Amino acid sequence: MTDPADVRWFADLRSEDIAEVGGKNAALGELYGALASQGVRVPNGFALTVGLYRAALTEANAWPRLAALLASIRPGDVASLASAAAEARSIVHAATGVPRVRDAVAAAYAHLEEQYGPGVAVAVRSSATAEDLPTASFAGQHESFLNVQGVDTLFEACRRCFASVFTDRAIVYRNDNGFDHLRIGLSVGVMKMVRSDRAASGVVFTLDTESGFRDVVLVTGAYGLGENVVQGRVDPDEFHVHKPSFRAGHRCVLRRALGGKQRKLIYGGDANQATVDIETPAADRDRFCIGDVDVLAIADHALRIEDHFSRRAGHPMPMDIEWAKDGVDGEIYIVQARPETVASNRRSGSFESYRLGASGTVLLAGRAVGEKIAQGAVRRVAGSADLAAFRPGEVLVAETTSPDWEPVMKQAAAIVTDRGGRTCHAAIVARELGIPAVVGAENATVLLQPGATVTVSCAEGDTGHVYAGALPFEVSTIDAASLPRPRTGIMINLGNPDLAFKTALRPNDGVGLARMEFIIAEHIGIHPMALVEPDKVTSAADRDAIARLTRGHRRPRDFFIERLSEGVGTIAAAFHPKPVIVRLSDFKTNEYAALLGGAGFEPKEENPMLGFRGAARYAHPAYAAGFALECAALRRVREDMGLVNLKIMVPFCRRVEEARRVLEALAANGLRRGENGLEVYLMCEIPNNVIQVDAFAELFDGFSIGSNDLTQLTLGVDRDSQIVAFDFDERDPGMLEMLRLAVAGAHRNGRHIGICGEAPATYPGVAAYLARLGIDSISVNADSVPRTLKAVYDAEQAQASGKPSS
C-alpha cells in the first residue's frame, strides 16, 4: 500500500519543499506551478520523496552499515573509496527494492501515462536536499537516466538513482564541501521526456560565465539530448542576448559562435540501449542547431525564471537553466533550473597589479606594453610556417608580427619583438589581449634561445625587460572602490569583442575608441569589396576560403554585416548605457590588401601611412560599396539591437570638404548625424584638424585626439621606423601646444573633446597636463586605468588647491 507522502507532483511543489524533494525537484515544481502562465513550458512529472528514501533505508537497517563504510574510507586512498562506495550503493539499491517503492512508482507512472499515452518515455534524475543551492550545485554528482519506458524499467532506474547518492564523486564532493553524508536526503524526479533527440538542447545562463558580466543571457546548444552539452562532451553553439535591449523590446541576437557539435545523443533502438551517441553529420555541424527565433524564446524564458527566483530570494539570482526543443511539436521546454554558483560568486569590482619579487639577469630591454609580468619558454617565429609549432603559454619572439598571426598571439604568455614602437601591430594586439609585450628589443631573435625559460616584465615603467629564468613575482588585487574618480572622464580603448564583458567591469566612463579594423581582421578576415564584387577576386584559394566563411548566409555581404555588427554591438552592449565611440575602418592599403580577396582592390603605395586611408576611402568609388557595408552594420547595432549609445568617429580626415563628403555618405547609408540621437565625432590626428578646429566643429559633435598620428605628423617622425623612434615623443613642447590648441578650440565651439592615443597611458605627466587643460575625457587601455585615474585625480586636486602638479 502506498503512502500519499511518498510521491509529490510538480504542480504541488514549491521552492520551500527542498527538505522533502531536494533542490532540483523543488525548482521544477516552482517553474511548473508559477511560470506556466507566463509561457514557460515544463514537462509534467513527479518526485519520489526524501521521506520514501529514508523510510526504505530505515526499514532495511541500512544506516549503521553505511556509517561504518563511510568511516572506513582513508583520505586519498582511491581503492578504499571505490570499494566502500560500491558497497554503499549496493545497500541502498537493495533497500529501495521493496513493494512500497515499487507501488509508488507504478501508481505515479500510470497517472503520467494517462496524460501522455501508454509507455511514455521519461527522464529519471536525482534531487538531493543539498543540491542546486546558491552556494553548492552538486551538478553531475549523481546519476541520471534518459528514455526510460515501462514501469519495470522505471522502477530499476529509480533504485539506481537512489543508490547514486554514494557515487565515488558524490562522496568526495560532500567531503570537500563539508556535508554530512547521512544527513543528505535524496529524492528522485521523474519527468516526461522532451524529444530533443529530434531537435536540439542545451544550457542557458543569465550571465556571461567567463567574466561574470550580468547584463547578458548566454545560450548554448547542440543537437540531440542535452547530456552531451551538460557533460561537456561537445563544443556547443553559443549565443548572447543583451538583457537591457531585450527588455526594451529589441529582439535581436547580440552575437553568436558556431560550435563543433561533434556528436549527438539520440534514442536507442531497443530497451537494452536507451540512448546512443552518434557522430553529427558534417552538414549539421556547419550550421547552427537553432535559429534566432528559438534563441530569443529561450532568452525570454531565462529572464522570466531569473526574475522570479530573484524576487523570491530578495536579491539578484543568476540562473543556470537546461532547455530542450521538442522535434515533434517544435516547442521550447525548460527541464531544469538552479542558481548559478561559479561566475556569480566571483569577487567583482577588482583587478590585478604586478610586481617583480627578485632581481635577475637582464637579457634585453625594449619598450614596455601593458603592465603585467609573464613567464614561458621562448618560441621563435620567423613566419607563418612556424605558427603550427607554437604551444599555448610560450613567449612569442619575432622580428615583428603580422595580423594573420593573431590566433596564435592569443595563446602566448608574452610577446617580444626586434622592431616596432608602442603603436606597432604587436603592441596593439598585446594591449587588446591583456598580455605583456616588449617591442623594439633589438636582437631578441638572436639573443633569446629557443626553449629557454624567460620572464617578461612590463611592470617597471616605460622600459620592458626580458630576464633569464623564471623570476618570482607578485600579483595583488586592486579594489576598484579604492581608486580615486576624477572629474575628467576616464574611458577605455578596446577593439576585441571577446574582452568586452570582462573589461566593462573595470572603472570606466565608456569606450573612447572601439577599433573597427580589429573586428574586420580578426572576426571577418575578408576585404569588404571582395564580398560586394566576388567576381573580381582572382585568387582561386581566396575564392574558396571566402565561400567557406560565408556559407550559411544568403549573400556574401550579409556575412560581413552580421559579423561586424555583432562585434561592435558586443562592445556597445558591454558598456551600455555609457557612450561607445566606434572608429570607422582605418586600415592602410597594404593592410587591406592582406585580407582575403583584397589584393585586387588595393593600389600599391610607397607610403600607405599617408595614402588611401580613413576618410579618403568612404565616398571614393573604389571603396564606397565597401563603406556601405560598414554603415549597414552600424545601423543594425543602433536600430535592430537598440544600442543607441554607439557614436561614430571619422578617422584621418584631411580637409573640411572631405568631412562634408563623408557626412553625406553616412547620411546616404542611413546614418544621418542627429537622427535618433546619432553623434558623429572627428578623430583629431592631423595638424590641419587643429588649425581648422573651428570649421570642423561646425560639422561634428565632438573630437577625439589621436595622439599617435598627430605626434607623427607634427614632429615628422615615422612611428614605425626603429632608427628614428627616439624622436617620437608626445611630451615635445610642440606637441603639448598642439594638444592645448585642440582642447581650447573644441571648448570654444562648445564641443566635447577627448584623447584616445597612447600618450596619457604611457606618460602620467601627459595625462595630468590634459587634465589641467580641462579635457573632457581620456581614453586608455584597460591595464592603464588605475595609474591614469590617479594621475588625473592628483592633477585636478593640485589645480583646485593652486599647487603645481608633477
Side-chain angles (χ1 to χ4, degrees):
M1 182 174 179
T2 62
D3 185 331
D6 291 345
V7 173
R8 295 286 304 277
W9 286 88
F10 289 172
D12 302 324
L13 294 174
R14 292 296 182 270
S15 295
E16 295 80 8
D17 296 315
I18 287 178
E20 190 174 358
V21 297
K24 188 179 301 178
N25 287 334
L28 284 170
E30 186 76 28
L31 294 175
Y32 191 92
L35 291 175
S37 62
Q38 297 183 36
V40 177
R41 297 178 182 82
V42 178
N44 197 11
F46 60 87
L48 302 179
T49 65
V50 172
L52 177 61
Y53 163 79
R54 290 194 180 280
L57 267 62
T58 299
E59 182 67 25
N61 195 30
W63 300 111
R65 289 180 289 159
L66 290 171
L69 278 171
L70 295 168
S72 71
I73 299 173
R74 296 181 295 276
D77 188 335
V78 176
S80 72
L81 168 65
S83 175
E87 190 169 346
R89 291 195 296 274
S90 179
I91 290 171
V92 176
H93 185 266
T96 53
V98 294
R100 180 175 173 179
V101 177
R102 181 181 179 87
D103 292 347
V105 170
Y109 185 65
H111 186 68
L112 209 57
E113 286 183 306
E114 291 175 7
Q115 181 178 358
Y116 292 113
V120 58
V122 294
V124 180
R125 290 190 169 97
S126 66
S127 180
T129 53
E131 191 170 39
D132 292 345
L133 303 177
T135 54
S137 71
F138 275 77
Q141 303 307 315
H142 308 122
E143 298 293 351
S144 297
F145 302 94
L146 304 178
N147 189 23
V148 178
Q149 301 179 50
V151 69
D152 293 335
T153 307
L154 175 58
F155 177 49
E156 176 60 20
C158 290
R159 292 175 66 193
R160 291 174 63 190
C161 206
F162 275 131
S164 73
V165 72
F166 293 114
T167 60
D168 299 19
R169 59 185 180 272
I171 292 171
V172 171
Y173 187 92
R174 287 193 294 269
N175 282 338
D176 291 345
N177 287 275
F179 290 98
D180 186 329
H181 297 287
L182 301 186
R183 294 188 66 181
I184 297 294
L186 195 76
S187 167
V188 173
V190 177
M191 172 191 284
K192 191 258 183 187
M193 284 287 294
V194 177
R195 291 306 304 266
S196 58
D197 62 306
R198 297 184 178 181
S201 57
V203 180
V204 52
F205 297 91
T206 59
L207 48 57
D208 178 63
T209 54
E210 293 302 310
S211 64
F213 183 72
R214 298 286 185 94
D215 276 354
V216 289
V217 174
L218 169 62
V219 179
T220 68
Y223 297 110
L225 303 175
E227 293 301 294
N228 279 346
V229 176
V230 173
Q231 299 299 331
R233 300 190 194 108
V234 297
D235 300 321
D237 295 334
E238 293 187 355
F239 311 85
H240 283 89
V241 176
H242 185 229
K243 291 180 184 178
S245 299
F246 187 89
R247 293 185 192 279
H250 293 277
R251 298 299 192 258
C252 189
V253 174
L254 178 65
R255 67 184 310 203
R256 72 203 75 214
L258 187 69
K261 305 182 295 296
Q262 296 88 342
R263 307 188 67 78
K264 64 177 178 178
L265 193 66
I266 61 173
Y267 280 15
D270 54 58
N272 295 322
Q273 196 174 27
T275 60
V276 292
D277 203 16
I278 64 172
E279 287 191 11
T280 305
D284 287 342
R285 292 182 62 181
D286 282 346
R287 62 184 178 87
F288 288 101
C289 65
I290 53 174
D292 285 9
V293 171
D294 287 332
V295 173
L296 297 171
I298 294 165
D300 181 75
H301 291 351
L303 288 176
R304 293 177 188 276
I305 292 168
E306 180 184 50
D307 289 346
H308 177 80
F309 282 95
S310 296
R311 284 193 299 270
R312 295 282 315 234
H315 58 80
M317 182 72 75
M319 300 296 292
D320 170 354
I321 303 162
E322 293 180 27
W323 63 271
K325 180 175 181 177
D326 195 300
V328 177
D329 64 20
E331 299 290 357
I332 299 293
Y333 292 86
I334 301 300
V335 296
Q336 188 169 318
R338 55 180 170 241
E340 198 281 335
T341 59
V342 179
S344 57
N345 286 328
R346 291 187 193 132
R347 183 180 176 189
S348 61
S350 61
F351 44 95
E352 298 171 334
S353 178
Y354 289 70
R355 186 178 71 84
L356 271 177
S359 58
T361 302
V362 177
L363 300 177
L364 49 85
R367 290 175 179 259
V369 177
E371 300 176 29
K372 293 184 178 179
I373 301 172
Q375 299 167 341
V378 170
R379 172 72 67 175
R380 289 184 191 164
V381 178
S384 299
D386 297 329
L387 297 178
F390 193 89
R391 295 293 174 265
E394 293 181 328
V395 175
L396 191 157
V397 179
E399 285 190 22
T400 186
T401 62
S402 171
D404 60 349
W405 293 14
E406 288 176 18
V408 165
M409 294 169 75
K410 285 181 178 179
Q411 304 174 47
I415 298 170
V416 182
T417 65
D418 288 344
R419 296 185 285 112
R422 288 182 288 100
T423 58
C424 69
H425 175 263
I428 291 172
V429 173
R431 289 189 194 97
E432 291 285 352
L433 298 176
I435 60 176
V438 177
V439 299
E442 292 185 37
N443 296 318
T445 53
V446 175
L447 297 176
L448 299 182
Q449 298 303 308
T453 298
V454 296
T455 298
V456 179
S457 173
C458 293
E460 304 163 84
D462 296 343
T463 301
H465 299 95
V466 180
Y467 295 92
L471 297 184
F473 64 92
E474 299 173 1
V475 183
S476 58
T477 301
I478 299 173
D479 185 356
S482 68
L483 292 171
R485 294 307 298 267
R487 295 187 306 275
T488 306
I490 304 300
M491 305 178 81
I492 289 177
N493 297 335
L494 184 65
N496 188 349
D498 296 339
L499 301 176
F501 299 145
K502 176 183 177 182
T503 305
L505 298 175
R506 295 192 172 214
N508 72 84
D509 293 297
V511 175
L513 173 62
R515 300 184 183 95
M516 184 185 288
E517 56 269 13
F518 184 97
I519 300 169
I520 294 174
E522 181 72 10
H523 295 271
I524 299 174
I526 306 172
H527 194 289
M529 294 301 297
L531 297 170
V532 175
E533 300 177 337
D535 293 342
K536 293 186 178 180
V537 177
T538 57
S539 165
D542 281 3
R543 286 199 303 272
D544 290 344
I546 292 170
R548 286 195 304 272
L549 288 169
T550 59
R551 68 187 184 278
H553 292 79
R554 188 170 63 88
R555 301 176 303 172
R557 66 182 65 190
D558 294 337
F559 168 78
F560 184 96
I561 294 169
E562 179 185 273
R563 285 296 183 92
L564 183 56
S565 63
E566 290 184 358
V568 172
T570 296
I571 297 174
F575 291 84
H576 181 272
K578 298 172 185 176
V580 170
I581 303 170
V582 62
R583 182 176 69 189
L584 297 169
S585 65
D586 192 26
F587 283 125
K588 287 73 174 174
T589 50
N590 57 323
E591 294 168 336
Y592 261 124
L595 297 173
L596 283 173
F601 293 99
E602 295 297 328
K604 290 191 169 49
E605 298 183 299
E606 291 299 321
N607 190 349
M609 184 73 77
L610 296 178
F612 189 45
R613 59 173 289 200
R617 301 182 68 94
Y618 306 145
H620 195 284
Y623 189 71
F627 182 62
L629 300 188
E630 294 184 30
C631 293
L634 297 181
R635 198 168 62 249
R636 181 170 185 257
V637 173
R638 287 181 53 86
E639 296 175 4
D640 296 351
M641 296 181 180
L643 296 166
V644 293
N645 59 318
L646 187 75
K647 304 174 189 289
I648 292 174
M649 183 154 66
V650 178
F652 219 77
C653 186
R654 297 174 170 96
R655 301 172 61 245
V656 174
E657 184 55 38
E658 185 174 62
R660 291 194 178 95
R661 287 197 298 270
V662 171
L663 291 172
E664 289 169 1
L666 283 168
N669 285 290
L671 293 169
R672 184 179 299 277
R673 177 188 168 213
E675 284 188 1
N676 196 23
L678 175 62
E679 292 187 2
V680 182
Y681 280 33
L682 176 72
M683 196 155 186
C684 183
E685 55 188 336
I686 297 172
N688 198 38
N689 301 147
V690 180
I691 295 167
Q692 294 206 77
V693 65
D694 298 306
F696 282 110
E698 293 181 8
L699 302 177
F700 294 96
D701 298 287
F703 298 88
S704 184
I705 300 169
S707 61
N708 296 334
D709 271 348
L710 187 58
T711 302
Q712 174 175 248
L713 296 173
T714 298
L715 300 181
V717 177
D718 180 355
R719 70 190 196 197
D720 289 335
S721 172
Q722 186 67 20
I723 198 167
V724 294
F726 63 89
D727 265 336
F728 184 93
D729 192 334
E730 297 93 330
R731 297 168 297 180
D732 184 271
M735 259 308 298
L736 296 179
E737 178 63 8
M738 273 288 186
L739 297 177
R740 187 192 69 80
L741 291 171
V743 173
H747 286 166
R748 183 169 60 248
N749 289 278
R751 297 299 189 223
H752 175 101
I753 185 164
I755 187 170
C756 58
E758 300 302 325
T762 305
Y763 307 115
V766 172
Y769 174 74
L770 290 165
R772 291 194 298 273
L773 292 177
I775 198 166
D776 298 303
S777 64
I778 295 175
S779 191
V780 297
N781 290 287
D783 287 345
S784 302
V785 165
R787 67 178 178 184
T788 305
L789 284 168
K790 185 176 186 310
V792 173
Y793 180 81
D794 288 347
E796 290 178 352
Q797 294 301 107
Q799 189 174 34
S801 65
K803 298 177 181 178
S805 62
S806 57

